[in-house]
Amino acid sequence: MIKILEITLENEMDLVLAYKRSLNLTQQIGLTVATQTTFATAVSEISRSIIEHTDSGIMMIGLEKQGDRYFIKAELDFAAGIMLTADDEGYHYAQRLVPEFKLEEGSGTKKISMMMGIPRSIQLNKLKIDELIADAEHSASINAYEVLKRRNVKLSRISEQRQEEIIRSKLIDEKKNEFIAMASHELKTPLTVIKAYTQLVGMSKNDCSDRIKGLIEKIDFQTAKLSNLIQQMLDISRMENGRLAYEMKAVGLNSFIDDVALMMKHIMPDHELQVRLSTDVMVQIDPFRLEQVISNLLGNAAKYSNKQTVVLLESSLAEDYVIVKVSDQGIGMDEESRRSVFDKFYRAEDVLHSHAGLGMGLYIASKIVTDHGGKMWVESEKGKGSSFSFTIPTAT
Ligand code: ADP
């Protein structure tokens, strides 16, 4: 069948639509008034019987071509469980109105087809049929009920599309995660080997010239950077799979922070790292993970500020938690960046081409902090510098 229009039969209001739409179509085709009324009445009568049983019938109206002859056709789909009997007046009346009437049963559905021949004198061709289809789609609504119905159809189509988009983007996300997990594992193996060789060469450093010593240090520094990036990729894929594992320990916070600061001083030698700590407290943390948080904040502070400026690492005590804060005098950020810095893969527009990075560090750091029962936030002003703070509950 060449489908021209479709009406979902939900309630009695749809009978009016089925009748008027059939009437309009047969009129447009050029059938006689008697044929128009007969066909439209058959369509609305059969629809009446179905609506009495279900609100999920679907009426399709269109054309059928047999040989060189066209027929006007109505097809009504409904659930197989519905039994039409002698009590269904519309069903019996419709059968008497149209010359061709068929009831077929498929798997889970039933279908009633009704056909009436179109005189050969009426010329139907592709152009005319396309016109009928376009008219049915774009014609003005028959009544307020059809306005609402069309709006609903549009809305449910949009929501279906959204649903599909969500499913598609979830699949893409899963593939991306799989790729990140695989890539980071693949990168980790050769990197471990490079690290081992560098250490081996480093052990016989004394036999080397200053130039070679300098080169070994450079390899060491770059391998550490690469190793950090691979660690971040691994963490992201673990976080996506919901398994960032922690090994919690009771630790004295001040000595822990001092150790991280000492290590970071070598990594950011061009900045003046100042450490100001409050009274020492015990905290329950995963030292490896918390070191990752602090070194990420310090690394960013150095990366996004000029050489020779001060980076301040401080702590202060509150009621049952401690606040750790890293401040710099760097490029700072605008409101949009302040809102988005903790999002996965976010990088501010103004650093995209000037500073290397993948936008994973703060996303991971904030997740580690929340997993420790704390929270992380940023205060910053463009051109003036930034302060990143996080809290960690004190151990009781
Ligand atoms: P990356 O530094 O690898 O891009 P991060 O997740 O650590 O990833 O940081 C995300 C973004 O937040 C950075 O790209 C940068 O735009 C901004 N940002 C982070 N730290 C600072 C800082 N101290 N000063 C200014 N901008 C920062």
Side-chain angles (χ1 to χ4, degrees):
M1 179 172 89
I2 308 163
K3 189 175 104 177
I4 296 180
L5 55 96
E6 181 180 303
I7 300 156
T8 51
L9 302 176
E10 295 158 61
N11 60 54
E12 281 67 20
M13 298 293 285
D14 290 309
L15 298 186
V16 182
L17 287 189
Y19 182 84
K20 289 206 170 161
R21 287 273 159 225
S22 312
L23 207 60
N24 284 355
L25 179 64
T26 44
Q27 196 177 15
Q28 259 182 306
I29 292 173
L31 296 172
T32 60
V33 174
T35 320
Q36 289 170 27
T37 338
T38 311
F39 184 74
T41 310
V43 165
S44 72
E45 282 301 312
I46 195 71
S47 303
R48 180 155 66 95
S49 282
I50 291 305
I51 283 173
E52 276 161 14
H53 292 274
T54 175
D55 56 6
S56 60
I58 297 173
M59 171 64 81
M60 279 165 290
I61 298 171
L63 298 168
E64 180 79 37
K65 196 175 182 202
Q66 287 181 1
D68 60 349
R69 181 136 193 237
Y70 278 101
F71 291 78
I72 178 93
K73 184 175 187 184
E75 268 186 12
L76 174 55
D77 284 339
F78 55 99
I82 295 169
M83 295 295 180
L84 295 167
T85 65
D87 292 338
D88 294 293
E89 286 170 22
Y91 173 59
H92 281 279
Y93 186 39
Q95 282 183 57
R96 287 208 298 276
L97 283 172
V98 289
E100 289 196 43
F101 188 102
K102 227 179 358 186
L103 171 66
E104 295 164 296
E105 188 158 351
S107 61
T109 57
K110 277 185 180 158
K111 187 197 290 283
I112 289 176
S113 326
M114 304 187 295
M115 290 210 301
M116 288 174 82
I118 297 175
R120 281 178 219 276
S121 56
I122 294 178
Q123 291 294 312
L124 283 174
N125 51 31
K126 180 155 180 351
L127 203 68
K128 173 76 182 163
I129 295 171
D130 285 347
E131 206 178 284
L132 292 172
I133 295 173
D135 275 2
E137 202 172 318
H138 303 298
S139 61
S141 300
I142 282 172
N143 52 25
Y145 172 71
E146 195 177 29
V147 173
L148 283 178
K149 191 162 171 146
R150 281 179 167 176
R151 211 173 283 162
N152 274 347
V153 168
K154 235 186 232 165
L155 282 178
S156 69
R157 238 179 249 157
I158 291 173
S159 104
E160 269 167 29
Q161 277 169 1
R162 287 273 144 80
Q163 206 62 29
E164 272 170 28
E165 272 163 28
I166 291 172
I167 293 172
R168 207 170 325 128
S169 74
K170 263 192 184 159
L171 276 178
I172 294 174
D173 224 41
E174 272 169 28
K175 287 264 165 247
K176 196 182 63 201
N177 288 341
E178 261 172 45
F179 174 77
I180 293 178
M182 210 175 62
S184 40
H185 275 292
E186 291 295 321
L187 289 169
K188 207 174 174 177
T189 319
L191 188 70
T192 315
V193 177
I194 295 174
K195 259 186 184 165
Y197 282 136
T198 322
Q199 268 170 11
L200 217 62
V201 180
M203 282 196 278
S204 42
K205 238 184 194 171
N206 292 342
D207 307 335
C208 302
S209 66
D210 285 349
R211 202 173 95 80
I212 299 286
K213 276 183 205 163
L215 289 180
I216 294 171
E217 266 164 31
K218 279 193 177 127
I219 296 176
D220 225 14
F221 184 71
Q222 294 300 333
T223 344
K225 261 172 97 173
L226 197 55
S227 166
N228 186 30
L229 276 179
I230 294 173
Q231 181 64 44
Q232 289 188 349
M233 282 165 70
L234 270 174
D235 287 346
I236 290 261
S237 73
R238 283 188 188 131
M239 276 162 69
E240 302 298 304
N241 296 324
R243 49 186 174 87
L244 204 57
Y246 294 96
E247 280 179 41
M248 305 300 269
K249 261 193 207 162
V251 167
L253 187 66
N254 284 5
S255 60
F256 170 77
I257 292 183
D258 278 334
D259 287 348
V260 180
L262 193 65
M263 189 252 316
M264 285 304 289
K265 271 187 177 149
H266 295 290
I267 293 179
M268 40 189 281
D270 300 323
H271 285 80
E272 191 188 324
L273 176 55
Q274 293 180 8
V275 184
R276 280 184 218 152
L277 301 179
S278 68
T279 328
D280 199 14
V281 277
M282 291 300 283
V283 283
Q284 188 75 18
I285 56 165
D286 177 333
F288 169 72
R289 290 297 179 190
L290 215 68
E291 176 188 317
Q292 199 179 338
V293 173
I294 298 175
S295 58
N296 182 265
L297 295 182
L298 290 173
N300 277 352
K303 181 158 78 170
Y304 298 111
S305 65
N306 285 333
K307 288 179 177 176
Q308 317 308 335
T309 54
V310 171
V311 172
L312 181 61
L313 169 60
E314 44 187 338
S315 73
S316 54
L317 269 182
E319 209 174 310
D320 50 1
Y321 56 90
V322 55
I323 304 168
V324 180
K325 184 170 176 178
V326 173
S327 313
D328 63 57
Q329 301 164 346
I331 59 169
M333 55 185 99
D334 59 18
E335 209 216 316
E336 205 250 295
S337 298
R338 285 198 299 272
R339 250 186 289 122
S340 315
V341 273
F342 302 112
D343 292 349
K344 188 167 51 168
F345 305 134
Y346 176 81
R347 306 208 68 223
E349 202 66 37
D350 57 341
V351 307
L352 279 182
H353 305 294
S354 53
H355 300 73
L358 293 175
M360 296 189 283
L362 288 176
Y363 174 68
I364 298 169
S366 63
K367 169 83 171 116
I368 293 174
V369 167
T370 38
D371 285 350
H372 276 75
K375 59 178 185 165
M376 186 180 264
W377 68 95
V378 62
E379 290 153 293
S380 181
E381 210 178 312
K382 197 137 184 71
K384 296 229 166 122
S386 312
S387 300
F388 284 86
S389 308
F390 66 90
T391 60
I392 288 290
T394 45
T396 45

